[in-house]
Amino acid sequence: MQQVSRVERFAAFCIERRKFVTTLILALTVVFAWFAAHVEIKTIFHDLLPKGHPFIEINDKYNERFGGPNIVSIMVEAENGDIFQPQVLERIKQVTDDLYLVPAINQFQVISLASRKIRSINSSTEGIETKPMMWPDLPKDQAEIDLLREQVLANPLVYGRYVSPDLKSALVTADFIDRLIDYGKLYDAVTAIAAKYDGNGVNVRVVGEPLLTGWVVHYLPETFKLFLITIVIMTALLFVTVRTWRGVLLPMLAGLVSALWALGIASLFKVNFDPLIIVVAFLVTARAISHAVQMLAAFDDELERGHAPRDAAAKALVALFRPGMLGVVVDAVAVAIVAAMPMPLLQKTAFVGAVWLGTIAVSAMVLVPTLLSWVTKPHAVAFPVDTNRWLLRPLLNLCGTLVLGRRSIIVVLLGLAVLLLSGFYATKVTVGDALPGTPLLWPDHPYNVDAKAINDTFQGSDQMFVVVDGEGPNALKEPELLTNIDNFQRYLETQPQIGGTVSVVDLIGPVNANLHEGNRRFEELGPVADINGELLFMYMQGADPGDMDRFVDTDFKDGAVTMFFRDHKGDTIRTAVSRIEEYIENNPLPGESTYKLAGGLVGVLAAVNEEVFARQVESIALALLTLFILSAIAYRSTVAGLFYMPLVIMSNTITFAFMAWKGIGMNINTLPVAALGIGLGVDYAFYIVDGVKERFEETGDVMQSLQGSLRTAGRGVLITGGTMIAAVLVWYASSLKFQAEMGLLMALWLTVSAITSLLLIPAMIYVFRPAFVFGDGKPHAAAKPVTA
């Protein structure tokens, strides 16, 4: 009783001092709006990486030397004939030269047939000489072109890696310095190069992680357009179903206030807003609107009981304070738990999401009932057709009929069957990307089309490097160590998804063969370190600074084994890492030398996937534990803590089963949405249960209590659920596949949550008669269903 009286005093304060409360909230909103206007919308690559993970530490230490995750690959393809034509070779050189001018380029990591890095190995009376194949000048005549073809075919570092096996395509790769990248400018510059040289018998295709992020930035205007269309649809549907201006304007105002407060606080704390979490922002805004609609439904119910607007507003605030605040806190904590992930992007998302959800306690639970107290025409409607009578009430009456009597047992058993079946399929969801290409874009998007073409033609556009940490200077000249590396490469290349590997070993064999008149039988390592050192010295004659960086450091202590992957699916990466670790365990390097995993894009993704896999179950378990504790405290019953579990678990298992069916992987982008699903699955249920509890205390009749709760709280569920479901489906039109899929996930979550709240929760109440709902009171004889 003490808690109730405090809530009543709080409600009385808000209504009696409504001018002060409203002015204070709106004044703070104006202040936060100013800060919100200055929030940064950008992607920071290192925000995606798990701090402290050994793979990330290796990547950060060596990526500027051995190649980081921000590599762009450009394929220049001849439509007719092969690339050994003047016009095609000229395009390769032009693309290469233009890349040097792109901002944030690592000029030591631009590699192509037309760069200084691609060298031919030739023997002459003066010894072994290496020189660039097609730099600084193009071949002058057909004889030089024919010589270039011969050099390419004779060099395993080039043939198949930078020139395709059918000789119809050439690959240009460029690495960028992570800390200097502006993804919008990089996207504009690289796509401009591709467009400039595409056509007239040559196709130019481009892929790469920074370009992918650039595509996301490119679609930002479309994303904001879809957001606005969604808001318009929500407004129209609310107007049709609620039929009052207050029923439209106040929920939208609640959503706007929450958004401005959250973005303003994010700006104050210098937290950038990543474009990929805009879908999370919409989901949180939907929660604010949902809570506001529930408040309006409770207000209308109090009006029907004969209360004046001021009293109705106060009573609605008191009645919904516990379920509303419980829903807000569960939502906020569930999202905050995501901060346990060591990725800064998820930590920032958790911070902004938790703050955003927390503001609903002010915007929907305080501001809305306070403004409702000023209503002067409580029974006026703005829309003549009574949608409540012709649509909502029949649906709610049907729900009431299905959850009473023996039918309630059938509903509970069906719910159990769905839970078990969806739980089985939910285990099949993939950690990491489930399909080839990028899940951010549609399969037929030019980026994915180009990625498939490049990966089908070459050894793979996605790279991982493993560092060989030698025991001391010149360690990478020792035959035993080099033989181990050679065997390691052969072992890796048996995995179908790895198109090829490269290391310092690949430099020694061709030089040795050239010393023996090009005889491939002598393409092998030297028997002692001194000979390997001499062979490497011969290769380096005439080399420019940085030419050896992607293979070894200057004192031959540290080197890299680089792998080329044809896709970066979760299963591919896990298999590769497992095989690498198995080889290292069974084939240790001599002395104190060691292999260290792993850098490059695939190495970074391996680290992300490991963290997601290790923490996803933990995050969901913590969110469920939070739900249990908060529900038990709010209702002073451990049974209450357990009561909501099946509902929440079902909404998540159904969603994960859907993700497995549609090939949507659990990754850094989908994890925040999954965390929000915990609260999304239970908000509606809180209102239904509290409605039953309140009415049973008044009537003592189970049936009337269930029917009454469905007519009020259930009406709010139908309105918000139907409105949100219809609105989020608009996101399926997005050019970003990720946003489209998240729209489907949100629609599915809302649908499951609404159905379970309207059917499963009332059926469970009817069948189990939990004490935290009915207390020790004895229910009256079954009354006839109320259909007013």
Side-chain angles (χ1 to χ4, degrees), residues 269-288:
F269 282 87
K270 308 297 182 183
V271 176
N272 62 291
F273 198 73
D274 194 283
L276 286 176
I277 65 171
I278 288 177
V279 66
V280 175
F282 174 79
L283 191 53
V284 177
T285 302
R287 306 316 302 143

Side-chain angles (χ1 to χ4, degrees), residues 249-273:
L249 297 178
L250 292 184
M252 291 300 171
L253 178 63
L256 178 62
V257 168
S258 286
L260 293 176
W261 280 41
L263 293 177
I265 292 172
S267 180
L268 276 170
F269 282 87
K270 308 297 182 183
V271 176
N272 62 291
F273 198 73

